[in-house]
């Protein structure tokens, strides 16, 4: 029995995803088919008339079905690009977001002329921030997470990408010796629990809740992290955090008494995205 050509498979997949209300249906169909064929999207155009094998057809069908059930494309393909590198991701970790590259940029700016600075990434997840900083600066970076499962993913990403990162399980920066860190970076959980009902189902039903939610206000992890950072960071050292939607005012208030030189960077959409503070 003849199987579908690549072109018809893309068209049928696109139609199914569109009907199922999935965003960017054509792109998604192409990415999923490329995954089933172990090929890049460009291959699909060059081989549009080739027929799928039975196995490719079965895999593609399964991926489409998973996506229609809400599973994010990145958890299906098991990869996400971050700062120009490919990271393995699965349901144990948050899918790194492009906005977080602003945090990396800000950290790199600090590290440019501080070759000896000791850097800690709190809540490392897939390891995207820590691994990127280690590779971009050629130094060893420390990274913590409360989730042992996330640390397995992060360690494997560091190994695969050749980054020197010392991972450890910790509740935020609790395990850190006082005054031992020069730069603490973090993209902490910051979604208010009350927002759960209105979130995209791809996020709410698939990404780890420990990576998303931070109490009723969304500020609880910031509060504890800022408290702990005060002990962990040396005087004159820096704290860099990603900001959640409408969290700036609350975070600034928490930093008011013990931190100086507060600076905020906005993302491409104009939202305050990164806050930097210096330990008094
Ligand atoms: C928003 S995700 C960020 C993941 C990754 N750094 C990134 O930017 O893609 C927050 C991470 O913080 C971790 N986390 C949550 N609560 C924590 C805690 N109390 N101590 C340490 N890590 C925590 C989660 O497991 C998750 O990996």
């Amino acid at each position: 029995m003849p199987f579908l050509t690549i072109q018809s498979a893309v068209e049928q997949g696109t139609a199914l995803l569109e009907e199922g209300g999935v965003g960017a249906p054509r792109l998604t169909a192409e990415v999923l088919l490329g995954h089933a064929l172990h090929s890049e999207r460009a291959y699909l155009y060059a081989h549009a008339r080739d027929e799928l094998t039975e196995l490719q057809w079965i895999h593609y069908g399964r991926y489409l079905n998973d996506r229609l059930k809400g599973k994010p494309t990145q958890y299906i393909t098991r990869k996400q690009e971050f700062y120009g590198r490919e990271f393995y991701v699965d349901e144990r970790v948050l899918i790194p977001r492009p906005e977080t590259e602003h945090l990396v940029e800000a950290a790199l700016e600090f590290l440019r002329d501080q070759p000896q600075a000791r850097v800690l990434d709190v809540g490392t997840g897939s390891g995207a921030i820590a691994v990127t900083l280690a590779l971009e600066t050629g130094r060893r970076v420390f990274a913590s997470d409360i989730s042992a499962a996330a640390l397995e993913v992060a360690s494997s990403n560091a190994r695969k990408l050749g980054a020197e990162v010392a991972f450890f399980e910790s509740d935020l920066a609790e395990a850190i010796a006082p005054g031992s860190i020069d730069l603490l970076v973090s993209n902490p959980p910051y979604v208010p629990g009350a927002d759960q009902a209105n979130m995209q189902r791809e996020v709410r039903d698939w990404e780890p809740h420990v990576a998303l939610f931070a109490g009723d206000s969304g500020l609880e992890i910031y509060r504890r992290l800022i408290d702990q950072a005060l002990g962990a960071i040396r005087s004159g050292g820096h704290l860099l955090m990603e900001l959640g939607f409408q969290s700036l005012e609350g975070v600034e208030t928490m930093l008011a008494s013990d931190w100086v030189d507060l600076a905020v960077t906005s993302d491409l959409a104009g939202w305050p995205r990164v806050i930097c503070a210096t330990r008094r």
Side-chain angles (χ1 to χ4, degrees):
M1 160 186 147
F3 278 95
L4 283 180
T5 62
I6 286 181
Q7 186 176 341
S8 331
V10 170
E11 283 163 5
Q12 290 192 15
T14 303
L16 273 173
L17 294 171
E18 199 163 17
E19 221 171 275
V22 172
R26 170 127 196 154
L27 172 65
T28 307
E30 287 179 1
V31 169
L32 295 180
L33 184 56
H35 185 54
L37 269 58
H38 303 290
S39 304
E40 297 299 317
R41 279 172 57 221
Y43 178 92
L44 308 181
Y45 290 96
H47 297 264
R49 291 187 180 169
D50 289 7
E51 281 184 3
L52 267 59
T53 65
E54 185 174 1
L55 198 61
Q56 289 167 340
W57 184 77
I58 289 169
H59 282 310
Y60 181 50
R62 185 158 53 85
Y63 301 153
L64 285 170
N65 194 35
D66 284 350
R67 186 64 195 89
L68 284 165
K69 283 196 217 140
K71 188 170 185 174
T73 303
Q74 294 92 331
Y75 286 157
I76 300 172
T77 60
R78 302 255 188 252
K79 60 187 176 195
Q80 171 63 31
E81 200 224 88
F82 184 80
Y83 214 81
R85 296 183 182 88
E86 192 177 291
F87 285 78
Y88 172 90
V89 292
D90 64 25
E91 290 90 328
R92 290 173 288 177
V93 295
L94 185 100
I95 299 164
R97 308 294 204 265
E99 300 85 67
T100 302
E101 294 184 351
H102 291 290
L103 185 68
V104 167
E105 290 286 355
L108 290 174
E109 192 59 39
F110 271 109
L111 296 172
R112 196 143 289 147
D113 34 51
Q114 294 194 46
Q116 305 303 331
R118 254 167 312 180
V119 184
L120 169 66
D121 171 25
V122 171
T124 197
S126 63
I129 299 171
V131 167
T132 303
L133 292 179
L135 291 173
E136 291 294 318
T137 64
R139 78 180 74 206
R140 184 164 185 249
V141 167
F142 297 89
S144 75
D145 207 291
I146 200 164
S147 156
L151 287 169
E152 283 170 15
V153 175
S155 307
S156 139
N157 276 322
R159 219 175 13 254
K160 235 176 30 200
L161 291 165
E164 207 187 325
V165 182
F167 292 103
F168 58 97
E169 198 176 323
S170 165
D171 184 358
L172 301 177
E174 193 180 64
I176 292 294
S180 61
I181 297 298
D182 298 290
L183 174 65
L184 191 157
V185 295
S186 184
N187 172 20
Y190 51 59
V191 181
D195 286 4
Q196 194 165 333
N198 306 319
M199 285 173 91
Q200 259 188 306
R201 66 174 179 152
E202 279 83 354
V203 179
R204 185 196 53 220
D205 297 347
W206 292 89
E207 298 201 75
H209 282 196
V210 67
L212 298 172
F213 299 108
D216 289 343
S217 63
L219 293 172
E220 272 172 35
I221 299 278
Y222 285 119
R223 188 168 296 116
R224 292 182 49 231
L225 180 58
I226 289 168
D227 243 28
Q228 290 187 13
L230 198 58
I233 299 175
R234 66 162 170 83
S235 171
H238 307 288
L239 172 63
L240 271 176
M241 295 183 296
E242 180 162 318
L243 291 167
F245 184 60
Q246 295 187 330
S247 66
L248 174 60
E249 205 182 311
V251 171
E252 276 181 332
T253 307
M254 293 175 205
L255 292 167
S257 49
D258 299 297
W259 303 82
V260 291
D261 298 335
L262 299 197
V264 175
T265 312
S266 296
D267 61 21
L268 298 175
W271 297 108
R273 184 55 71 179
V274 177
I275 189 157
C276 169
T278 302
R279 167 98 159 74
R280 224 187 253 287

